[in-house]
């Protein structure tokens, strides 16, 4: 893969006058980058960029975002066009192979995916060890990591065929893994996929099929909405979870373990967990009838509340996915005549007020993809704790395509950032009696109490019993 075109040199001069030049590289689109790989070697300094706000971590040809223009492309195709014209499996093929499939290629791909949709029976047993009510994301982190024990067999992932096989297995098995996470959490029996159903319909079937019924029928509006939701979430450049997958993969860990790491990163409310958090926020606002109060809290720096589903590191104009998601929400809620319509209207009201508010305008905060996704998923009947699992299911193709792109690079570099150290200088260990006394942290004392109190209770109990006997 090309590393871009050199368009000049960027010169860096340190206060002591030492100077060095670094290549300025331009890709197909987007800002140029200063290639600082030789910075330490040439100048003996590092850069500091917590949160990677100005740092490109890799060279990639998969996804492009222009945050100021609200543009998102997969392999050069605009997200709006893909959502309107393609199936999710076509998009998976595009992300994996770089081009949209012909009819014949799609048939082959679909058949390869369907042949891999079932999971190992032993893995199903693994789900039984989770207690009922466990968060499905907790289950997913565990079972996807456990896939390594079933599927990895020490493959050579330098071989593109092995990478392709692993990618297909992950995309194929994820719907069943996700559906069983839901069914385990709710104590429902496992449902196996059917060859006659599409990828999306199979997922809905494995989630919602009632074994007492022969048939499974689902409104085509729901299938279409899910297809689009999956496409919108399929990839998103070097976000937190994708970067996690790449960093894990850079140590040459197996792809199943890397995807488990990505799932863990996605789980947080600042990232994929936002869709669940949006619905909880809307519920609270509805209960209290207090849109303005909530917005005031979201703007208050001393309050931990944020307007969930709003803001994005890259989009500073609008998130094109949120526009499509708003359209999907209209269509689904009107067709299903859902009672979530009320929550949707509340979300619209909050969006309008926030977009007219100086705080949000000044910081360029707009609704992101998750502002409306939760309302749609809830209307479809998907429980809230499954929202982020669905995000993970759709994002698996992006994660694995990015991992594969990284593995295809003949020069592999383990992800290993540096730091600005502000701790103690090197010092001698003092004798215990000479050590400085520090206040013991409340968390530590609480922990010690928690660990010891049941033990103490049980000792007292036994001593008491012995005494009585
Ligand atoms: N509500 C209120 N204030 C906000 C919000 C919000 N949702 N988002 C950002 N801000 C404010 C910050 O307080 C900060 O204000 P300041 O400059 O006065 O200190 C400013 O806007 C910049 O915010 P940062 O947190 O520095 O921006 P960053 O790019 O690091 O974070 C993020 C982006 C995490 C998405 C943030 O906007 C957020 O927490 N949003 C809510 C959670 C959410 O919806 N996450 C989903 C993201 S999309 C996805 O992962 C699919």
């Amino acid at each position: 893969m090309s590393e871009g075109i050199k368009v000049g040199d960027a010169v860096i001069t340190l206060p002591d006058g030492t100077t060095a030049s670094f290549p300025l590289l331009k890709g197909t689109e987007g800002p140029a980058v200063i290639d600082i790989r030789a910075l330490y070697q040439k100048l003996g300094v590092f850069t500091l960029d917590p949160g990677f706000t100005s740092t490109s971590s890799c060279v990639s040809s998969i996804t492009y975002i222009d945050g100021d223009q609200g543009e998102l492309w997969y392999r050069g195709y605009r997200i709006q066009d893909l959502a309107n014209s393609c199936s999710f499996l076509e998009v998976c093929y595009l992300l994996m192979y770089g081009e949209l499939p012909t009819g014949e290629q799609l048939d082959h791909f679909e058949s390869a995916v369907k042949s891999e949709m079932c999971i190992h029976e032993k893995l199903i047993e693994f789900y039984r060890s989770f207690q009922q009510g466990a968060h499905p994301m907790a289950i997913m982190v565990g079972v996807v990591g456990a896939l390594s024990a079933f599927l990895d067999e020490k493959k050579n992932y330098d071989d593109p065929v092995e990478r392709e096989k692993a990618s297909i297995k992950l995309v194929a098995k994820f719907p069943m893994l996700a559906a069983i996470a839901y069914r385990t959490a709710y104590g429902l029996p496992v449902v196996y996929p059917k060859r006659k159903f599409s990828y999306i319909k199979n997922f809905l079937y494995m989630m919602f099929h009632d074994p007492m019924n022969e048939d499974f029928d689902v409104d085509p509006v729901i299938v279409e909405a899910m297809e689009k939701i999956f496409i919108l979430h399929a990839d998103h450049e070097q976000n937190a979870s994708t970067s996690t997958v790449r960093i894990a993969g850079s140590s040459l860990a197996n792809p199943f373990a890397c995807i488990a790491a990505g799932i863990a990163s996605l789980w947080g409310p600042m990232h994929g967990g936002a869709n669940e958090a949006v619905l909880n926020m809307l519920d609270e606002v509805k209960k209290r009838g207090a849109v303005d109060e909530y917005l005031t809290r979201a703007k208050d720096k001393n309050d931990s509340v944020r307007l969930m589903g709003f803001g994005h590191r890259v989009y500073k104009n609008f998130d094109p996915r949120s526009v499509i998601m708003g359209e999907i929400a209209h269509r689904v809620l009107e067709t299903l005549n859902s009672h979530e319509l009320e929550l949707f209207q509340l979300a619209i009201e909050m969006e309008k007020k926030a977009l007219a508010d100086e705080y949000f305008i000044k910081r360029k905060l707009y609704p992101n993809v998750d502002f409306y996704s939760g309302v749609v998923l809830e209307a479809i009947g998907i429980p809230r704790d499954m929202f982020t699992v669905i995000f993970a299911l759709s994002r698996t193709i992006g994660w694995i395509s990015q991992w594969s792109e990284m593995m295809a690079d003949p020069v592999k570099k383990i992800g290993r950032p540096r730091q600005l150290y502000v701790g103690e200088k090197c010092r001698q260990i003092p004798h215990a009696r000479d050590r400085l006394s520090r206040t013991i942290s409340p968390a530590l004392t609480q922990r010690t109490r928690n660990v010891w109190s049941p033990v103490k209770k049980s000792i007292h109990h036994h001593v008491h019993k012995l005494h009585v006997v």
Side-chain angles (χ1 to χ4, degrees), residues 307-327:
L307 179 55
M308 299 312 290
F310 248 71
H312 198 274
R313 170 63 62 77
V314 184
Y315 296 116
K316 298 296 173 197
N317 186 340
F318 69 97
D319 177 344
R321 303 169 302 169
S322 85
V323 178
I324 305 170
M325 195 59 84
E327 290 161 11

Side-chain angles (χ1 to χ4, degrees), residues 355-413:
L355 291 182
D357 189 303
E358 191 52 34
Y359 173 94
F360 294 92
I361 295 171
K362 197 173 139 213
R363 290 169 181 77
K364 299 187 172 174
L365 301 170
Y366 296 89
N368 59 51
V369 65
D370 282 333
F371 195 63
Y372 290 115
S373 67
V375 186
V376 180
L377 293 174
E378 185 138 289
I380 288 174
I382 291 172
R384 282 182 196 182
D385 55 8
M386 278 298 288
F387 291 179
T388 315
V389 174
I390 292 195
F391 193 155
L393 164 53
S394 348
R395 182 55 59 84
T396 295
I397 182 60
W399 287 333
I400 201 67
S401 304
Q402 300 266 354
W403 167 83
S404 192
E405 179 178 70
M406 181 190 70
M407 293 299 291
D409 190 339
V411 187
K412 293 189 182 49
K413 272 267 183 224

Side-chain angles (χ1 to χ4, degrees), residues 41-62:
Q41 191 196 337
K42 288 186 177 176
L43 292 177
V45 295
F46 297 138
T47 55
L48 176 65
D49 185 15
F52 303 106
T53 49
S54 301
T55 298
S56 309
S57 60
C58 64
V59 177
S60 179
S61 63
I62 301 177

